[in-house]
Amino acid sequence: MAPKLQVAVAGLGRMGARHALNFHNRTPRAELVAAFTPVQKEVDWAHVHLEGVTIYTDYDEMLKHPGLQAVVVATVTTAHAEEAIKGIEAGKHVLCEKPLSTSVEISQSVVDAALKKPQLKVMCGFSRRFDASYRDAFNRMDNGGIGRPSVFRSQTCDKLDPSGFFVAYAEFSGGIFVDCNIHDIDLALWFFGQDSIVKSVVAAGITAVQPELRKHKDVDNGVGIVEFWGGKIAYFYSSRMMAAGQHDMTEIIGTDGKLAVNANPSGTLVELHELTGVRREIPHDYYGRFENAFVTEANEFTAACLDNNKLPFKLSGAVQAVKIGCALQESLNSGQKINFDETGRRLESVKL
Amino acid sequence: MAPKLQVAVAGLGRMGARHALNFHNRTPRAELVAAFTPVQKEVDWAHVHLEGVTIYTDYDEMLKHPGLQAVVVATVTTAHAEEAIKGIEAGKHVLCEKPLSTSVEISQSVVDAALKKPQLKVMCGFSRRFDASYRDAFNRMDNGGIGRPSVFRSQTCDKLDPSGFFVAYAEFSGGIFVDCNIHDIDLALWFFGQDSIVKSVVAAGITAVQPELRKHKDVDNGVGIVEFWGGKIAYFYSSRMMAAGQHDMTEIIGTDGKLAVNANPSGTLVELHELTGVRREIPHDYYGRFENAFVTEANEFTAACLDNNKLPFKLSGAVQAVKIGCALQESLNSGQKINFDETGRRLESVKL
Amino acid sequence: MAPKLQVAVAGLGRMGARHALNFHNRTPRAELVAAFTPVQKEVDWAHVHLEGVTIYTDYDEMLKHPGLQAVVVATVTTAHAEEAIKGIEAGKHVLCEKPLSTSVEISQSVVDAALKKPQLKVMCGFSRRFDASYRDAFNRMDNGGIGRPSVFRSQTCDKLDPSGFFVAYAEFSGGIFVDCNIHDIDLALWFFGQDSIVKSVVAAGITAVQPELRKHKDVDNGVGIVEFWGGKIAYFYSSRMMAAGQHDMTEIIGTDGKLAVNANPSGTLVELHELTGVRREIPHDYYGRFENAFVTEANEFTAACLDNNKLPFKLSGAVQAVKIGCALQESLNSGQKINFDETGRRLESVKL
Amino acid sequence: MAPKLQVAVAGLGRMGARHALNFHNRTPRAELVAAFTPVQKEVDWAHVHLEGVTIYTDYDEMLKHPGLQAVVVATVTTAHAEEAIKGIEAGKHVLCEKPLSTSVEISQSVVDAALKKPQLKVMCGFSRRFDASYRDAFNRMDNGGIGRPSVFRSQTCDKLDPSGFFVAYAEFSGGIFVDCNIHDIDLALWFFGQDSIVKSVVAAGITAVQPELRKHKDVDNGVGIVEFWGGKIAYFYSSRMMAAGQHDMTEIIGTDGKLAVNANPSGTLVELHELTGVRREIPHDYYGRFENAFVTEANEFTAACLDNNKLPFKLSGAVQAVKIGCALQESLNSGQKINFDETGRRLESVKL
């Protein structure tokens, strides 16, 4: 029997638990051998759901798990970079949840660490890259289906969570452009080309439902425009107050056509005709929309590690995405448009 | 200024009033000069809404209105044929609401009367023939867009009217296949060819919400299959209990493709994203769906009368549609399939 | 580590290979230990894709595989019943592809065999029972969302296969109502209640693209109506000539609302706006539509075997579905409506 | 018979001809008595299609037409303001096509002229205000259906016209934000409140298909963000290069829900299932989308004039819309964000 990739997952919170289950149950070529969490409740959960997996409460100890080959970093964002680097330095392949960090410099340090170990597979978990619909759209564009892609619109809009969770979360999330739109930014870089150079960034936002977000310099609705050198524009919307559920969507507009991804959100294929009209429900959260993409991610990461295949996208793009996200967040807060020259170097803006 | 067609409308009930307003206000080449209703409430309504129009409470008197050229018959179904024939005999063009009659023989008598006055335009008001979507579908089929049309599915489903109106109505409506599906049957004859010959007819139905319908040998949900000689099948559904609103729809399935008309019903172009999901409203009744078709009907009938143009479809088809509708209704009640030979002559079926 | 269900798959053709891969890779609690196929090409395929699985060319030998607990029967339809019965008699849980047989009597023999081994899980593979959308619809109905379900419409329409495959296939398929609509019939029994009693059956069909089907008493487009005692009607459509792809859809119409499943087919969530309009692609075949349902089926069957849980539906329903399918196929060929009394006993019809 | 509003139309180009026909044929309470065009081809057209209407080649002469009560100004944009003012000064009601002018000052001069004649009805032709779907959306919002409206997204995207017409047109159009997005801006003012005060404006754009537009300081794809004081944001997209047809759409996002208008564009209700998938066509131009709105506009303007009703929206809003459109266009060309204080007074921005 072919050897399976020996995988550990760091973090067993909401997303970490999903990664752990996906590697445990839905990734035939991987074997989840270890998991790390400092949280007792998560340890208890793991004993029930991750049978046969060694649970560590110390990340460094977990890295020493015998035979371990790969680590999935799915802890809080603030720990991503340090744990990813430790994993790399310990000679493990690393799949790190997005963003690498909310800081451009720290994100870059992960890339630098990875560059020193070129034999390792180090990937940032941009799940939409593994979504069948986005891939379908990309292939159609890549095959010339819409001419030259020119305008890119993308949104990540979360269902309103009235618990106020997002206020506490905003302290470390990096802000709505770094936390939510990072996916849309990454998609723009995918569709426009990973090496696209930003020309300007401008953003605006409001706190429509959670004014407390302002203390963390964040908003619950944000709009941003990113110009790229070479005649391309991306614009983004993110929101924390959708009533009906999570709704991401993307349009890629080319000189000969347009691709729309999830313009018509739906959950199952059921429509209910009732007294008030025709109704359909949509997923409550991004996992309801992207569950299959996460499974594909786990399987493809595993295959790349085992077979020494190229990863589907470069780690350095994750730094570029954070850079754009941070610039949007800065523009949101300063009220200033930020400009860059054709080499991507920031131009000094004059304060009003 | 070019002379306008001098038109009278017989009947100012729900549909008659709409015809009257359409000829009064939305048919530039027609002038509504007279209307007939025996109902005082409708006379009062006419004095407010049909300014300048002479209102008669006697149909025969109305026919004598000076200069009258055309009559729209929109009274109760039981009066259609007699009034249409009187109009024809008085030398008027006639637009008669569907069905001509719930009896095949009486329907045929209208055709016979019309045959004696070939210079007159006599048309049965199959409104869907004037609907932009059905015309679009027909043209696509006619241009070969789906190969050879082979299977035809069509439904006319009304919003549930909890008032019980349909029970009283059923006494004279001819039954659900004659009253509702008559449109679908007419469409099948349009798309398959007006001279298609029926091979067999079978139907079934239930009274899910209005058991009193049984006393009029009717149902509130009916399903029927009509085979045509030459390898074509139509199947129909009609209902009186839609919760969300009126929903007609049609599919024409050909050897190379399929046309779907109104598979996704909607009212306006608005969708409401709310806590319970994504919702759209649909029209409450057929007029919400077909208002523009009725206006087109009025204008095209007018133009045909004034310019002596050919009508878009033959009057004899209306008899064929009633014949099929009555056969379906009979099959519903007898439980027997009814067969016809290749000339369309009914074959004797053996009672069980 | 918890023991895994030891599973074998019989048949490695199109569907068998999928079952084998699903049990091999996507069913964490199962271990595919054996497979049977007499076809050398499939043996070769298995050696590549089913690593570690013992491949047998004799079904009886496979049944003797040490430790084997469950068998998936996915050979040709004509072998289903015999292999299922052998599996049962050998004390194995059995998941048998639909239909058990194209014969009611033979189908019943599987049920009879299963009744003698009540400790075994024996299930017919009605994959739609595991589809998230159908389950969503069922739960909404079951929770009263549409009042009393009364009319059921369902279709299974396959993409046109110009190779003529279906002609050869029709020799043993049992005909379009047994092969395609069996799913729709099973759904009707699910939604209306497994013990619904048929009152009448009538069908019609044409050979629009493959006239050779007539030699196997089959058609490429079929329409049927099934009345149930108690005021319920189901009507079905099946086709082998869809241009755009596979399109199954179902409507459950109740006294207070309607549920539509897959009324708007789509493949991925991508829409392409191009010169000719807005276009989306739909799945080419049923597996493109139901892949996830098959995976769920594998996992739930496994769990039922391991945990001795109740299966989600009764095996006897599969006989009822075949009985209705065969009656529709008979009606198609005889041109006669077939009636049943309130106990489900067939009434003698009089030949014309 | 009630007197009809005596109407003249100035300009018989593409849009003027449509207005003329609408007032001639589809506005029962109006009588088109005169029209003006200096173009011989249009005079000829009028003699065929506007029977009984006096055609003038001099605007001032037309204003003297006996009994004239109202003028529809539908000439080139550069003539709108002058002709509207002349009409007002001659004591005529005026329906002026949008925009009043591409200059804020000139637009204001029309408002000033109207203020001196308060008995006259002077309206800018924002056709979407009369569209059934936008009205439906507005009413739902107004009734609290989405909580507090907070984010507004709207686009006006035209089908690519490869003739290069838009390049010549751009010389006088005022630019894409003034010509196309003026509708979206007006909608934002409608939904957010006519007296909303702009806080900032920023825009970006590209010339993806028509680089010659740069000589008129215009683009073929533009994106803009408008912040309003009070925590509201609108963002806009306009394009001249849609492959599939015209696609306007709008979302109004509130604290409790979202309204989407025309998220799923379609033309008729027909979908074509063919080898390449499922396809629908969409309107080629805005008139295909808004024809009924223009007819409603004609009828409501007429009713307001005859009955001395209030117009549905204030003329001054048209100046506000032009002001925002011009600011977006300026920002597009300067690359600068433009800020306004809470009274709407522009803040000096510092050049880079």
Side-chain angles (χ1 to χ4, degrees), chain A residues 47-58:
Chain A
H47 284 139
V48 175
H49 293 93
L50 303 179
E51 199 188 2
V53 177
T54 309
I55 310 303
Y56 294 86
T57 55
D58 182 286

PDB file of all heavy atoms in Angstrom, chain A residues 47-58:
ATOM      1  N   HIS A  47     -10.820  14.064  20.873  1.00  0.00           N
ATOM      2  CA  HIS A  47     -10.819  12.667  21.326  1.00  0.00           C
ATOM      3  C   HIS A  47     -12.035  11.919  20.809  1.00  0.00           C
ATOM      4  O   HIS A  47     -11.991  10.720  20.574  1.00  0.00           O
ATOM      5  CB  HIS A  47     -10.729  12.611  22.856  1.00  0.00           C
ATOM      6  CG  HIS A  47      -9.340  12.908  23.344  1.00  0.00           C
ATOM      7  ND1 HIS A  47      -9.053  13.692  24.445  1.00  0.00           N
ATOM      8  CD2 HIS A  47      -8.130  12.538  22.842  1.00  0.00           C
ATOM      9  CE1 HIS A  47      -7.746  13.781  24.598  1.00  0.00           C
ATOM     10  NE2 HIS A  47      -7.165  13.098  23.631  1.00  0.00           N
ATOM     11  N   VAL A  48     -13.098  12.633  20.578  1.00  0.00           N
ATOM     12  CA  VAL A  48     -14.305  11.991  20.035  1.00  0.00           C
ATOM     13  C   VAL A  48     -14.232  11.848  18.512  1.00  0.00           C
ATOM     14  O   VAL A  48     -14.563  10.800  17.953  1.00  0.00           O
ATOM     15  CB  VAL A  48     -15.561  12.800  20.426  1.00  0.00           C
ATOM     16  CG1 VAL A  48     -16.812  12.207  19.753  1.00  0.00           C
ATOM     17  CG2 VAL A  48     -15.714  12.837  21.930  1.00  0.00           C
ATOM     18  N   HIS A  49     -13.786  12.909  17.864  1.00  0.00           N
ATOM     19  CA  HIS A  49     -13.917  12.941  16.409  1.00  0.00           C
ATOM     20  C   HIS A  49     -12.652  12.580  15.635  1.00  0.00           C
ATOM     21  O   HIS A  49     -12.718  12.381  14.427  1.00  0.00           O
ATOM     22  CB  HIS A  49     -14.384  14.338  15.957  1.00  0.00           C
ATOM     23  CG  HIS A  49     -15.769  14.647  16.410  1.00  0.00           C
ATOM     24  ND1 HIS A  49     -16.051  15.307  17.592  1.00  0.00           N
ATOM     25  CD2 HIS A  49     -16.972  14.339  15.867  1.00  0.00           C
ATOM     26  CE1 HIS A  49     -17.353  15.421  17.732  1.00  0.00           C
ATOM     27  NE2 HIS A  49     -17.943  14.842  16.710  1.00  0.00           N
ATOM     28  N   LEU A  50     -11.523  12.594  16.294  1.00  0.00           N
ATOM     29  CA  LEU A  50     -10.275  12.325  15.568  1.00  0.00           C
ATOM     30  C   LEU A  50      -9.617  11.071  16.126  1.00  0.00           C
ATOM     31  O   LEU A  50      -8.489  11.100  16.636  1.00  0.00           O
ATOM     32  CB  LEU A  50      -9.334  13.528  15.676  1.00  0.00           C
ATOM     33  CG  LEU A  50      -9.896  14.865  15.178  1.00  0.00           C
ATOM     34  CD1 LEU A  50      -8.868  15.986  15.368  1.00  0.00           C
ATOM     35  CD2 LEU A  50     -10.297  14.780  13.705  1.00  0.00           C
ATOM     36  N   GLU A  51     -10.336   9.988  16.018  1.00  0.00           N
ATOM     37  CA  GLU A  51      -9.864   8.733  16.578  1.00  0.00           C
ATOM     38  C   GLU A  51      -8.491   8.354  16.015  1.00  0.00           C
ATOM     39  O   GLU A  51      -8.276   8.424  14.807  1.00  0.00           O
ATOM     40  CB  GLU A  51     -10.875   7.644  16.220  1.00  0.00           C
ATOM     41  CG  GLU A  51     -10.751   6.449  17.101  1.00  0.00           C
ATOM     42  CD  GLU A  51     -11.618   5.326  16.585  1.00  0.00           C
ATOM     43  OE1 GLU A  51     -12.250   5.505  15.530  1.00  0.00           O
ATOM     44  OE2 GLU A  51     -11.643   4.277  17.230  1.00  0.00           O
ATOM     45  N   GLY A  52      -7.613   7.972  16.906  1.00  0.00           N
ATOM     46  CA  GLY A  52      -6.297   7.520  16.461  1.00  0.00           C
ATOM     47  C   GLY A  52      -5.303   8.640  16.239  1.00  0.00           C
ATOM     48  O   GLY A  52      -4.151   8.394  15.889  1.00  0.00           O
ATOM     49  N   VAL A  53      -5.736   9.873  16.430  1.00  0.00           N
ATOM     50  CA  VAL A  53      -4.860  11.020  16.196  1.00  0.00           C
ATOM     51  C   VAL A  53      -4.284  11.483  17.547  1.00  0.00           C
ATOM     52  O   VAL A  53      -5.015  11.596  18.525  1.00  0.00           O
ATOM     53  CB  VAL A  53      -5.647  12.173  15.541  1.00  0.00           C
ATOM     54  CG1 VAL A  53      -4.763  13.413  15.366  1.00  0.00           C
ATOM     55  CG2 VAL A  53      -6.238  11.715  14.204  1.00  0.00           C
ATOM     56  N   THR A  54      -2.993  11.740  17.566  1.00  0.00           N
ATOM     57  CA  THR A  54      -2.367  12.217  18.800  1.00  0.00           C
ATOM     58  C   THR A  54      -2.636  13.711  18.957  1.00  0.00           C
ATOM     59  O   THR A  54      -2.398  14.484  18.029  1.00  0.00           O
ATOM     60  CB  THR A  54      -0.841  11.982  18.751  1.00  0.00           C
ATOM     61  OG1 THR A  54      -0.607  10.619  18.383  1.00  0.00           O
ATOM     62  CG2 THR A  54      -0.212  12.293  20.093  1.00  0.00           C
ATOM     63  N   ILE A  55      -3.134  14.081  20.110  1.00  0.00           N
ATOM     64  CA  ILE A  55      -3.478  15.488  20.338  1.00  0.00           C
ATOM     65  C   ILE A  55      -2.423  16.135  21.230  1.00  0.00           C
ATOM     66  O   ILE A  55      -2.106  15.619  22.307  1.00  0.00           O
ATOM     67  CB  ILE A  55      -4.864  15.600  21.015  1.00  0.00           C
ATOM     68  CG1 ILE A  55      -5.910  14.765  20.250  1.00  0.00           C
ATOM     69  CG2 ILE A  55      -5.302  17.076  21.099  1.00  0.00           C
ATOM     70  CD1 ILE A  55      -6.079  15.117  18.793  1.00  0.00           C
ATOM     71  N   TYR A  56      -1.901  17.227  20.749  1.00  0.00           N
ATOM     72  CA  TYR A  56      -0.870  17.952  21.501  1.00  0.00           C
ATOM     73  C   TYR A  56      -1.431  19.276  21.980  1.00  0.00           C
ATOM     74  O   TYR A  56      -2.252  19.890  21.308  1.00  0.00           O
ATOM     75  CB  TYR A  56       0.343  18.236  20.609  1.00  0.00           C
ATOM     76  CG  TYR A  56       1.080  17.007  20.164  1.00  0.00           C
ATOM     77  CD1 TYR A  56       0.682  16.305  19.033  1.00  0.00           C
ATOM     78  CD2 TYR A  56       2.190  16.545  20.879  1.00  0.00           C
ATOM     79  CE1 TYR A  56       1.365  15.170  18.620  1.00  0.00           C
ATOM     80  CE2 TYR A  56       2.880  15.401  20.469  1.00  0.00           C
ATOM     81  CZ  TYR A  56       2.467  14.718  19.339  1.00  0.00           C
ATOM     82  OH  TYR A  56       3.139  13.607  18.955  1.00  0.00           O
ATOM     83  N   THR A  57      -0.939  19.722  23.131  1.00  0.00           N
ATOM     84  CA  THR A  57      -1.310  21.052  23.601  1.00  0.00           C
ATOM     85  C   THR A  57      -0.123  22.015  23.453  1.00  0.00           C
ATOM     86  O   THR A  57      -0.188  23.152  23.894  1.00  0.00           O
ATOM     87  CB  THR A  57      -1.783  21.021  25.065  1.00  0.00           C
ATOM     88  OG1 THR A  57      -0.758  20.416  25.842  1.00  0.00           O
ATOM     89  CG2 THR A  57      -3.088  20.238  25.190  1.00  0.00           C
ATOM     90  N   ASP A  58       0.904  21.525  22.823  1.00  0.00           N
ATOM     91  CA  ASP A  58       2.098  22.356  22.567  1.00  0.00           C
ATOM     92  C   ASP A  58       2.475  22.183  21.097  1.00  0.00           C
ATOM     93  O   ASP A  58       2.688  21.049  20.628  1.00  0.00           O
ATOM     94  CB  ASP A  58       3.237  21.901  23.480  1.00  0.00           C
ATOM     95  CG  ASP A  58       4.473  22.752  23.289  1.00  0.00           C
ATOM     96  OD1 ASP A  58       5.157  22.591  22.241  1.00  0.00           O
ATOM     97  OD2 ASP A  58       4.775  23.590  24.171  1.00  0.00           O
TER      98      ASP A  58
END
